[in-house]
Structures are given as structure tokens and as C-alpha cells.
Amino acid sequence: MAKAFEQPIYVTRPLLPDFTDITERLRVVWNSKQLTNFGKQHDELSHQLKEYLEIDHISMFSNGTMALLLGLKALKLTGEVITTPFTFPATVQALDWNNLTPVFCDIDPVTFNIDADKIEALITEKTTAILGVHVFGNPCDVEKIQAIADKHGLKVIYDGAHAFGSKINDVPISSFGDMTMFSFHATKLFNTIEGGALTYNNPALDKSLDLLKNFGIASAEEVVVSGLNAKMNEVQAGVGLEVLKVIGEERSKRYIIKKAYEENLADIEGIQILTTLEGESSSYQYFVIRIDEAVFGQSRDAVHKELQKYNVFARKYFYPLCSDFEWYSDLPSARPENLPHAQQAVQQVLAMPYYGDLPVSSVALICGIIRELHITQKSLSQI
Ligand code: T4K
């Protein structure tokens, strides 16, 4: 029987650049006395991210949620937006705060992203957009979604919180749709502690997003729209500049950890790996498995609980389904019978510990715990 880890093993740990580099960067910020409101660090990070993400237009925010919320506002959407129930609450809360009604579409049983084949049936005269989520960094069916949007005159927004740096056939993920949101939260591979961004191709959005995230202030004497305060500050941007220097190394480390998981889980019946993309295609943000109770012999919840006994804190991303939030109980699209694949996914998915400093030996031990659970169950069922 395996021993519990002495220290807790979390689903992730922030990517932390060398502390000396951070203090040097802070010294520059301190000396400048410009702490926020679009200073040099902000502009430099914006420039570097445009290059990294291979996009002409970017707008940075205090966090990913505010980016999405104000991005939807800038697109002047009304009525209904077709989206996925299998996401983090922020995706749908950004709709709520814009007085937009989510229309939940079931997910694809393989990718766990919005099922593009089920979108068209949900379009009404009130629909103005499709909001897809590149869940765990696996891209949505962007071509099919765009074709539907073009046919019906809809906007397309992607929540790419997990997809920083991913590509689809060598094309950067940020190039699809009308805009893509990225999260730079501490738990994300690229982090600014808290932070986020929108990328887009339409230059007209530069101005409206600048206004929306800065109280609608157009000049010292002019306030032209009702905005909010959602700016990225200089310390966040400075941290981002240092993190950007080390993400190549982190991605390589995560590649090795991914391989270790794949090898150790390969022959366990009932375990399927959801994050299969590699190289430039992958964001290396999460390593996620799906547990088929009928084959594995134990439920996802049982595995989650068992791992905790060993001091391993895998996470049920995402749980609960957004369509099950109490405030959507009157929405026909939120009814469980309309979302069979999402209802199944929410019971099966487990995000495993995944970060560059996680020793490969720990991965083997974690997988050993899962294997043991499967073997014990198998022998019990044969008695
Ligand atoms: N859309 C999607 C699809 C998203 O997944 C998210 C965020 C958003 C939109 C919104 O973007 P932001 O507004 O957050 O930029 C975490 C993150 O807070 C959240 O950003 C992320 N998705 C979500 C999937 O994960 P929690 O509630 O799981 O966080 P927490 O505090 O439990 O952290 C998870 C583990 O990470 C901890 O057990 C330990 C470790 N950790 C965490 C923090 C904050 C650290 O080691 N250090 C830290 O500072 O939501």
C-alpha cells in the first residue's frame, strides 16, 4: 500500500520566476512612481504578448472575468448567447452581468467542448452570439462554429482561459472568432498573479475596450460611456514580463510530466486522457482524465476522495455544471435532459496535479494509487 505524501500535492502551483528578477522589476516600477493606468510595464507586456500570441490587437485587464465581461459589452450583444454548461462559472457570469441570457448547448462527448452540431437548433430571433470555451486547452470546432455564425449573422467569442499559446494546425488560437479571452490567473501557465486579456482582429475594439476598462474616461474632461475599473496594473504587468521569460522552460517540463502520466495510466481500464494535444498545439495548462465507472470499477468521486487520503488534491474541473446553477432553473435549455453529455462529463472528469516542479516520481506514485484502486475493485468483483 502506498504512503501518503508528506506535503500536500495540489492541482497546480504558480509558475514563479526567480525572486531576484521580480525584485529588480519591482525596483523599476517603484522608481518610475507609475503604479497603474497604462505605464511602461503594461505597454511592454502588451507588445510582447502580441508577438507571443501572434495577434495584432490585444487589450489587457485586471483578470480574465473582467476581460470577458467587458468584451461582451464592447460587442454590444443583446438577447441570447449560445454557450456551454461545462465551464468555470466566470463564463456564464460574464453573460449575466451583461443582461444576456445563456442558452445552454450540450457538449461533444469526445472533446467536452460545445457541440457545434447542436448549435443551429438553438438559434432564435433573439440570438446574437456563440460563446465557446476551449475546455482544458482543447480547441472548439472553430470552422463549423464560424460557418454557423456567418450564416446567421452572429458574433463568436471564445473563452480561451485554458488555451494560452495553443495553435490549431499552426494557426494561433487567438485568431479565431471575433475575440478570445485569456486568463492570467496565478493558476494559469502564463500568470500575472491575477490578470487577463482579449485578443481580436477588429481595430475599432481598441478604443471601446480602453474606455470600458477605465470608467469610460475619454479625456480629462470627457466621460463617454459607462465603464468600470478593470485595468491591469504595473506590478501585474511586470510580473508577467518575467513569467513570459520562463514559460518555454515550464512547457518543456510539463511535456515530460504529461508523458509520465500517459505511460503510467496507459493500461488502466476505464481511464481516458482528455488532454492529448502536444507541442505547439497544446497549452500544457491541465492534465485531465475521465473515469468511466462502469469499466474502472470506481466513480470519479471515489478516486477524488481516495487521492485526498494520500494528500493529493486533484480537482473536479468543472463541477457543478453551470446549467445547474439555481438562478437558471427556469431556463428550458438548462434542463438536464437537454444536456446528457454534459451531465455525464461533470461526473467523470478529474484534473490531476500538473505543474513543472511536480517530480516524475510523484506522478508514478499518484498513478499507482489509482491503479491500486482499480485492481482492488476488480478482485472484489471477481469474488
Ligand atoms: N473561464 C474559464 C474557463 C476559467 O477556467 C476561468 C478561471 C475563467 C474563465 C476566469 O478567469 P479569471 O477571472 O480567474 O482570470 C481556479 C482559478 O482561480 C481560476 O482562475 C480558474 N479558471 C479555475 C479553473 O481555477 P479555483 O477555485 O480552483 O482556485 P483555487 O484557489 O482552489 O486554486 C487551485 C489550486 O491552485 C489550489 O489548491 C492551490 C493552487 N494555488 C492557487 C493559488 C490561487 C497556488 O498554489 N497558489 C495560488 O496562489 O479556481
Side-chain angles (χ1 to χ4, degrees), residues 12-14 64-65 88 159 161-162 183 185 187-188 286 315 317:
T12 193
R13 289 314 246 168
T65 307
F88 195 65
D159 176 335
H162 303 176
S183 164
H185 183 261
T187 53
K188 300 296 184 292
Y286 292 109
R315 291 293 289 267
Y317 291 141

